[in-house]
Amino acid sequence: MTNNPFDVFKDLYQLAREKSVFKQKGAICISTIDEDGFPDSRFVDLKEIISEGFVFCTDYASKKGVSIADNSKIGLTVWWEHISTQIRVKGIASKVSEAQSQQYWDTRSRSAQLTTWASKQSQLLDNENSVNQQLEKYRQKFDGQYVPKPPTWGGYLIKPKYFEFLTFREDRMHIRNAFVEENGIWVESYLQP
Ligand SMILES: Cc1cc2nc3c(=O)[nH]c(=O)nc-3n(C[C@H](O)[C@H](O)[C@H](O)COP(=O)(O)O)c2cc1C
């Protein structure tokens, strides 16, 4: 029976988290294509793995949000040195529902929520105090109250089309196991190191 790449990912992710010494255990690198056609990569926090794919949250008006609106093809990469594992995923990004985004928002700390209001992610910083001034403004505005979700903050679902798992070997004889989605079925193959 063919392996399910989601199960392989989930098992490795659980192992990586258990053995990680880092605080940001869910950091994943996501790559989008920018307006000049360049790949553009940055780390985000993997919020959840659901049956359809991988969810991360961000500002939809950020650079990555603008890129995804223009080209929904996306890459996800991890390197978990402590378990000798690299994973590469290619997929399609789409916004999750408002209700789902609201649930993710409610899991954030109050300080992270306030920073989201204060920062226009990826916009030029005109002076070093401007975000702190905005932060103070929103602290006062929401003082003693629930901090609502800004309309432009929410989740993206990465629905995978391709997975590749690499087990790192010191002698560079890495084991590379790929899965391609063809008509709803995951077809498994091995690649030379
Ligand atoms: C470990 C780590 C986790 C991060 N998590 C997130 C995240 O979940 N969402 C987010 O928008 N940015 C996150 N960031 C910041 C992004 O790397 C990036 O700087 C920001 O999203 C702006 O990217 P953009 O200008 O390409 O849109 C994280 C950075 C690091 C180093």
Side-chain angles (χ1 to χ4, degrees):
M1 199 181 80
T2 312
N3 284 324
N4 181 320
F6 277 104
D7 292 340
V8 180
F9 191 108
K10 278 190 225 163
D11 288 349
L12 288 167
Y13 184 47
Q14 192 182 339
L15 188 66
R17 288 188 73 96
E18 278 167 19
K19 293 188 179 291
S20 175
V21 294
F22 297 115
K23 269 182 93 177
Q24 306 299 327
K25 299 183 199 304
I28 54 170
C29 179
I30 55 155
S31 303
T32 49
I33 303 297
D34 75 12
E35 58 191 359
D36 299 316
F38 284 99
D40 197 7
S41 305
R42 80 291 281 158
F43 284 88
V44 295
D45 193 36
L46 174 58
K47 280 274 189 246
E48 198 178 2
I49 305 173
I50 58 175
S51 59
E52 303 98 311
F54 306 92
V55 181
F56 68 94
C57 292
T58 193
D59 186 336
Y60 290 143
S62 66
K63 217 167 141 199
K64 74 183 89 48
V66 171
S67 293
I68 292 169
D70 192 44
N71 183 344
S72 60
K73 289 182 178 161
I74 193 162
L76 182 168
T77 316
V78 300
W79 162 235
W80 294 321
E81 166 134 10
H82 54 302
I83 60 163
S84 305
T85 298
Q86 171 182 263
I87 308 177
R88 297 158 65 175
V89 174
K90 287 191 277 187
I92 303 294
S94 60
K95 289 180 183 174
V96 306
S97 70
E98 264 300 293
Q100 280 171 297
S101 291
Q102 182 63 53
Q103 283 180 8
Y104 294 123
W105 177 257
D106 289 336
T107 66
R108 305 190 88 206
S109 66
R110 187 176 179 85
S111 60
Q113 291 175 334
L114 288 168
T115 302
T116 304
W117 275 102
S119 160
K120 290 189 168 45
Q121 194 178 59
S122 318
Q123 298 290 309
L124 280 181
L125 187 66
D126 41 7
N127 79 70
E128 54 183 313
N129 288 325
S130 58
V131 178
N132 284 330
Q133 283 162 2
Q134 288 295 308
L135 185 61
E136 196 43 45
K137 180 180 121 185
Y138 285 108
R139 263 200 199 116
Q140 286 174 20
K141 179 169 176 171
F142 298 123
D143 187 32
Q145 297 170 44
Y146 172 76
V147 182
K149 183 182 81 59
T152 63
W153 189 93
Y156 282 107
L157 169 69
I158 302 174
K159 206 169 173 197
K161 294 268 183 212
Y162 176 84
F163 284 85
E164 187 203 305
F165 300 91
L166 178 149
T167 307
F168 184 85
R169 292 271 175 85
E170 287 295 340
D171 62 2
R172 304 304 189 259
M173 272 294 178
H174 313 310
I175 299 168
R176 299 178 62 193
N177 189 16
F179 293 83
V180 184
E181 198 235 50
E182 283 174 15
N183 304 318
I185 293 172
W186 288 106
V187 179
E188 187 176 6
S189 59
Y190 283 83
L191 304 171
Q192 297 188 30

